[in-house]
Amino acid sequence: MELLKKWLGHPEEIYNLLRFKMGGYRVVMPRIDPDSLGGGLRTCYRYLNQTSRSFASVIQALDGELRHAVCIFYLVLRALDTIEDDMTISLDVKVPMLHEFHSYLYQPEWKYTESKEKDRQVLEDFPTISMEFRNLSKVYRDVISDVCHKMGIGMAEFLEKKVDSELEWDTYCHYVAGLVGIGLSRLFSASELEDPIVGQDTELANSMGLFLQKTNIIRDYLEDQLEGREFWPREVWSRYAKKLSDFAQAENIDVAVQCLNELITNALRHVPDVLTYLSRLKNQSVFNFCAIPQVMAIATLAACYNNKQVFRGVVKIRKGQAVTLMMDATSIQAVKAIMYQYVEEIYQKIPSTDPSSNKTQQIISSIRAMSLPGSPMASRHHYSPIYLSCAMLLAALSWQYLSTISKATEEYVQAGEN
């Protein structure tokens, strides 16, 4: 019944969950026919669905040959990431592999069969992935190989050192996510679905990746602590505690939240770049692909801001909220209104005594200036009383059914992969 109560507090989300399940998902996540693919590509899409069911949905919604290029790009980077994550591979073996990984794309027989990671199939059957890579047009191959090379070097650099300064935080996030944004942008332009400037403006593309990666790092504090990983920059957290792990202790919760707020403020600095980037996109499938993760991220940051729960468990956005965001974020005006809504939510929660309060207010002011509060999306929660009454009745009758069918949406929300 708690689930039902939560939905009754957001009746528009009930309506959108129903609309999504009854066919609305096809607008933002259409599926391709596997029978239309060759054997190698069919295998690659199977691996895509196995390693990231959430990203698989939006990748398969892309238009034309760009869809295949992004699918292969994702699998190549997933293979590279699997090597980096595998703690059973010694550094003297791992570092050369990361440096040389881009060259394996042109070695038809190369594969790695000794990984213990859950996604090891992309390494064990790398010959199928590399074959489909070589079947891509040269403009796509050059982008994927170049990004893979740079990312491998960056991953190797951070294997033996922790993120210290805020500048290093940006550098680490660039290697693992900013380069993905740059590579995708170059693929968009290479496909001619987007103008050349989209792929040429690497600063904006980098910000797209940094905003998502920083959101994941901020949200995943406790999970990373339990796994022995640390990605919060020492330069920031050391102002609040002697050890990053101290934030998990109840007696340190006040300073922990202050540090959290400072890092969220840092991440918000990328939102103006995100809005500028999205405003340049022309193709609807590319826009949806780019916009959906960004609005999920701003909603996640709003949920995390000044929230002690980040240090006690997992902070998630609601499933109905996620569906609403996915179905609404289909134009730049809509995305601006969504961004405006969530930065206002953050603004209302800024503690007057928070050390970062002035900086938070300043960045929110700059985001407000780029947003359109008067757009139709700003009032998207206003439904007629009859509509809401019907939605609430449907919820009361079918809340158990909805809790089952929305699992796929939750997988998308939790997409922490890069």
Side-chain angles (χ1 to χ4, degrees):
M1 291 303 292
E2 286 302 316
L3 181 61
L4 177 59
K5 290 178 182 178
K6 183 163 57 174
W7 277 340
L8 289 176
H10 302 273
E12 79 286 350
E13 295 177 6
I14 305 169
Y15 166 69
N16 283 327
L17 273 169
L18 288 167
R19 189 160 61 102
F20 184 82
K21 184 59 181 178
M22 295 175 68
Y25 65 89
R26 294 189 185 95
V27 176
V28 290
M29 297 194 304
R31 289 278 180 172
I32 59 173
D33 179 10
D35 294 334
S36 66
L37 306 173
L41 265 180
R42 192 157 55 243
T43 298
C44 287
Y45 278 101
R46 187 174 79 249
Y47 291 154
L48 177 66
N49 280 281
Q50 289 172 349
T51 56
S52 177
R53 282 171 287 182
S54 48
F55 277 119
S57 299
V58 287
I59 288 174
Q60 289 174 102
L62 289 168
D63 289 339
E65 63 183 15
L66 176 62
R67 177 191 304 134
H68 300 328
V70 174
C71 172
I72 300 304
F73 184 42
Y74 176 89
L75 291 178
V76 168
L77 296 188
R78 171 57 62 192
L80 180 64
D81 190 57
T82 300
I83 289 175
E84 183 204 23
D85 287 344
D86 195 332
M87 303 306 293
T88 67
I89 305 175
S90 62
L91 288 182
D92 60 334
V93 173
K94 183 183 292 189
V95 170
M97 285 179 70
L98 293 175
H99 283 162
E100 298 299 322
F101 195 83
H102 68 288
S103 68
Y104 303 153
L105 293 167
Y106 293 97
Q107 298 178 29
E109 303 301 322
W110 187 89
K111 60 183 176 181
Y112 186 74
T113 59
E114 299 176 27
S115 176
K116 303 298 187 293
E117 291 291 296
K118 61 181 177 64
D119 294 329
R120 59 185 176 274
Q121 71 266 31
V122 295
L123 292 171
E124 294 172 346
D125 193 20
F126 197 73
T128 297
I129 297 170
S130 66
M131 177 185 68
E132 293 303 328
F133 163 82
R134 294 188 296 276
N135 286 339
L136 294 173
S137 300
K138 186 176 185 300
V139 288
Y140 298 132
R141 296 199 309 269
D142 289 347
V143 171
I144 295 171
S145 178
D146 180 54
V147 170
C148 187
H149 187 195
K150 292 173 179 175
M151 187 176 290
I153 292 173
M155 286 177 168
E157 177 184 336
F158 278 90
L159 278 177
E160 297 184 275
K161 72 175 184 178
K162 293 183 178 181
V163 177
D164 191 9
S165 66
E166 289 187 76
L167 180 60
E168 284 184 341
W169 199 35
D170 281 0
T171 302
Y172 171 76
C173 291
H174 163 74
Y175 282 136
V176 300
L179 281 171
V180 179
I182 291 170
L184 286 169
S185 300
R186 291 170 62 188
L187 292 178
F188 299 156
S189 294
S191 72
E192 299 186 353
L193 293 176
E194 298 296 345
D195 291 335
I197 187 62
V198 172
Q200 293 166 357
D201 195 334
T202 56
E203 184 176 348
L204 292 188
N206 187 59
S207 278
M208 291 283 285
L210 262 61
F211 185 58
L212 299 182
Q213 184 66 19
K214 288 181 177 180
T215 298
N216 290 337
I217 288 173
I218 290 166
R219 178 199 61 196
D220 294 341
Y221 165 84
L222 191 59
E223 177 184 332
D224 287 337
Q225 280 293 303
L226 295 174
E227 295 292 331
R229 300 185 297 257
E230 293 190 356
F231 298 112
W232 285 24
R234 178 186 295 272
E235 180 182 358
V236 176
W237 64 254
S238 64
R239 291 198 287 267
Y240 300 91
K242 292 182 178 179
K243 301 192 302 293
L244 184 55
S245 59
D246 290 345
F247 291 153
Q249 306 302 316
E251 62 269 21
N252 299 318
I253 194 62
D254 290 340
V255 292
V257 169
Q258 290 176 353
C259 182
L260 169 71
N261 291 348
E262 182 171 347
L263 291 181
I264 290 176
T265 299
N266 178 294
L268 289 173
R269 292 190 294 107
H270 300 292
V271 173
D273 280 353
V274 168
L275 292 174
T276 301
Y277 180 98
L278 293 174
S279 69
R280 291 176 174 172
L281 301 180
K282 301 183 302 181
N283 179 269
Q284 189 65 56
S285 73
V286 172
F287 185 89
N288 293 349
F289 177 89
C290 295
I292 290 172
Q294 301 294 331
V295 296
M296 295 285 191
I298 192 66
T300 299
L301 289 183
C304 289
Y305 186 82
N306 209 48
N307 189 348
K308 299 176 181 179
Q309 187 61 27
V310 172
F311 305 96
R312 297 169 177 167
V314 180
V315 174
K316 298 179 182 179
I317 62 176
R318 298 179 302 277
K319 296 174 186 178
Q321 184 181 5
V323 165
T324 298
L325 290 171
M326 291 168 64
M327 298 185 74
D328 283 351
T330 55
S331 70
I332 186 59
Q333 291 81 12
V335 170
K336 285 181 176 181
I338 291 169
M339 291 289 187
Y340 186 92
Q341 171 192 338
Y342 284 109
V343 296
E344 283 298 301
E345 184 176 315
I346 292 173
Y347 184 84
Q348 296 301 321
K349 295 193 291 186
I350 299 175
S352 59
T353 57
D354 191 271
S356 304
S357 60
N358 288 338
K359 289 182 180 179
T360 311
Q361 291 167 353
Q362 289 171 7
I363 186 58
I364 287 178
S365 294
S366 66
I367 297 170
R368 280 172 171 164
M370 296 185 68
S371 301
L372 300 174
S375 71
M377 283 300 301
S379 58
R380 69 186 187 280
H381 295 311
H382 296 165
Y383 295 87
S384 71
I386 293 177
Y387 227 177
L388 295 186
S389 297
C390 291
M392 292 168 71
L393 177 60
L394 282 170
L397 294 173
S398 60
W399 67 275
Q400 284 184 314
Y401 172 67
L402 285 173
S403 67
T404 301
I405 64 159
S406 56
K407 285 182 179 178
T409 307
E410 183 176 9
E411 289 168 359
Y412 190 94
V413 181
Q414 295 174 344
E417 307 102 326
N418 301 298

